[in-house]
Amino acid sequence: MRIGYIAEKQLYVWEDGKTTALSSIRYQNYLATMQSIHDAKSWKTSGTGAMFTGAVDNAPVDPARIHMGLHGLVPDPAGMLYAVELDEVGGLYRRDLDPAAKAEGHVLTRQNLHFGGMDRRGQQLAMCIGSDPMMLHLSILDLEDNEETDITDGDTTECHPSWSPDGSRILCSSAGYARSDSGGIVKLGPYEILAYAPAAGSLDTLCSNPAYDYLVPREAPDGALYCIRQPYDDGEKRGNLLKDIVLFPVRIVKAIGGLLNYFSMRYGGEPLRSNSSRSEKAKHRTPQEMFLAENMLKAEENRRQNQQAGDKYPGICPRNRVLLRIDPDGKETVLRHGVLDYTLLPDGRIVCSNGTHVLLLEGEQQTELAKAKLAHELTVLEA
């Protein structure tokens, strides 16, 4: 059994008790190119003239200032096919499983291309992609001729596509945006599960409840539907009058600081705040990434609650984010609490991540395969 996953901006392969980390060669080459460009312009930022103008900059390129995201991997004859975003460019690349490899195959590259997961069946790659990370739509890429077919559009965002075992349909999670009278986006609605049938061209809703998000849908050979369910959060903060009164002076100071920072950027070209680059990174985040970032702040609290509940392998995901099985007759069974991501094995077993461990689920039994921080995009590379 060979399982692939993504954690801490690296590709990983687990096989026979051994975990191997694989770097994105595209990312490494991109860093080298950026450093080369920086070095070629070093005459502008070094020497007496640069010291006089205050333009001295001998520091190497800082990887932390480069937006880099890995957003999906699937099996490939070469090893794996994965999606990567680097600053304003996204692409698909073929990577073999040799950690020392220096080259990889190129499939697709495009400006402002963002990914929300993918799944492969033969030469057909189901993807959720878009030019805006907040609006990703279902698409099918033929890997033989690189021809794309768009399936969904509009004020929605889709993620976590997966083929059914017989290939008759593609499942995905979808949520709609609500807009104000002026046309601005107000909030994102709850995620529901859709099924697209390529032969009929139909799009049906399989699972929907305004109180919950249904994510990472997968269909089992017996017709059961698996997914991750979590309470829907509309993003509205519930008020606390006393807290608002106490924090009012602090918020006034922050508002003034923000205004001064704006004028500094607008008329001086530089921010007053050294961490203003965070806003640049934030604009690339999908709703799922923002969910993870918010819950990382509660990691220890979530871990403590999972431990108190008797979890043998307490993770850092909230307990109300559960792995759910829905039988064809509608019966729902919670298989595990605190699940970040999962994948189904052909024999019915499940491999899942709880944000701290990668676990193998066999009925009531859990076995630790690896320790991994925020492992996601779990994929069976070889059964």
Side-chain angles (χ1 to χ4, degrees):
M1 179 173 65
R2 182 182 296 157
I3 303 294
Y5 60 89
I6 295 170
E8 299 184 282
K9 296 187 177 182
Q10 285 230 95
L11 303 163
Y12 286 87
V13 176
W14 180 94
E15 184 176 14
D16 298 330
K18 180 183 177 182
T19 302
T20 304
L22 304 174
S23 62
S24 165
I25 298 174
R26 166 60 180 153
Y27 174 54
Q28 298 300 325
N29 291 341
Y30 184 78
L31 283 179
T33 300
M34 294 298 288
Q35 186 62 50
S36 177
I37 294 173
H38 177 276
D39 293 343
K41 296 180 179 180
S42 61
W43 62 271
K44 295 182 179 180
T45 56
S46 61
T48 305
M51 292 180 64
F52 179 77
T53 60
V56 176
D57 181 13
N58 296 319
V61 173
D62 182 5
R65 298 183 66 84
I66 295 175
H67 166 72
M68 187 271 195
L70 297 171
H71 297 284
L73 62 91
V74 294
D76 189 74
M80 66 171 67
L81 179 70
Y82 74 95
V84 61
E85 298 173 18
L86 292 169
D87 286 334
E88 302 299 330
V89 178
L92 294 173
Y93 295 87
R94 287 189 165 95
R95 176 72 158 89
D96 66 33
L97 305 185
D98 180 4
K102 301 297 183 182
E104 59 189 1
H106 170 260
V107 178
L108 174 71
T109 304
R110 196 155 64 227
Q111 192 82 7
N112 294 321
L113 180 60
H114 302 275
F115 297 87
M118 55 190 188
D119 191 34
R120 180 174 184 170
R121 180 178 174 82
Q123 294 300 311
Q124 300 294 303
L125 186 66
M127 309 182 294
C128 289
I129 59 174
S131 58
D132 184 337
M134 300 296 287
M135 286 192 176
L136 307 175
H137 297 299
L138 183 62
S139 177
I140 299 176
L141 174 67
D142 189 314
L143 292 170
E144 289 186 337
D145 57 18
N146 270 20
E147 181 178 345
E148 292 180 46
T149 303
D150 297 330
I151 307 301
T152 61
D153 58 14
D155 277 355
T156 63
T157 187
E158 280 79 53
C159 59
H160 308 137
S162 67
W163 287 95
S164 63
D166 61 3
S168 64
R169 58 184 184 173
I170 302 171
L171 278 59
C172 69
S173 296
S174 178
Y177 285 101
R179 291 186 178 271
S180 64
D181 293 339
S182 61
I185 291 177
V186 178
K187 68 174 67 174
L188 181 67
Y191 279 92
E192 58 186 10
I193 296 177
L194 303 181
Y196 170 71
S202 60
L203 191 65
D204 300 313
T205 301
L206 298 185
C207 193
S208 179
N209 186 324
Y212 295 103
D213 286 325
Y214 292 92
L215 304 166
V216 201
R218 297 184 186 276
E219 186 176 338
D222 64 359
L225 175 65
Y226 289 78
C227 65
I228 290 176
R229 187 187 68 190
Q230 66 184 23
Y232 168 62
D233 182 0
D234 61 10
E236 294 183 1
K237 302 296 183 183
R238 305 305 186 251
N240 183 317
L241 182 58
L242 179 59
K243 182 179 179 181
D244 288 341
I245 292 173
V246 172
L247 293 180
F248 182 75
V250 177
R251 290 168 179 165
I252 287 293
V253 171
K254 284 185 177 180
I256 294 173
L259 184 62
L260 293 175
N261 192 66
Y262 165 78
F263 278 105
S264 177
M265 285 288 293
R266 176 68 175 83
Y267 298 106
E270 295 183 3
L272 291 176
R273 301 171 180 170
S274 60
N275 64 346
S276 292
S277 60
R278 290 181 184 176
S279 61
E280 287 299 305
K281 293 181 181 180
K283 73 179 183 180
H284 292 280
R285 283 181 174 176
T286 65
Q288 292 73 42
E289 288 176 311
M290 287 188 284
F291 167 81
L292 293 179
E294 291 168 2
N295 279 278
M296 276 302 293
L297 300 175
K298 305 175 184 176
E300 286 308 314
E301 178 184 344
N302 292 336
R303 189 202 305 271
R304 185 170 59 255
Q305 290 179 355
N306 289 326
Q307 194 168 26
Q308 291 174 347
D311 195 338
K312 182 180 179 181
Y313 300 101
I316 59 176
C317 285
R319 290 193 63 75
N320 56 15
R321 184 177 165 105
V322 302
L323 176 59
L324 186 69
R325 173 188 163 102
I326 306 175
D327 292 331
D329 62 4
K331 178 185 176 183
E332 296 186 356
T333 305
V334 173
L335 302 178
R336 196 186 195 284
H337 293 267
V339 175
L340 174 59
D341 195 13
Y342 75 100
T343 190
L344 302 179
L345 298 176
D347 59 9
R349 294 180 299 170
I350 301 170
V351 176
C352 75
S353 163
N354 65 0
T356 305
H357 308 82
V358 176
L359 303 170
L360 176 66
L361 307 184
E362 301 177 87
E364 298 295 324
Q365 183 178 352
Q366 301 181 53
T367 305
E368 180 188 84
L369 300 184
K371 289 182 171 61
K373 184 178 180 181
L374 295 178
H376 59 287
E377 306 294 340
L378 272 68
T379 305
V380 179
L381 296 177
E382 185 178 295

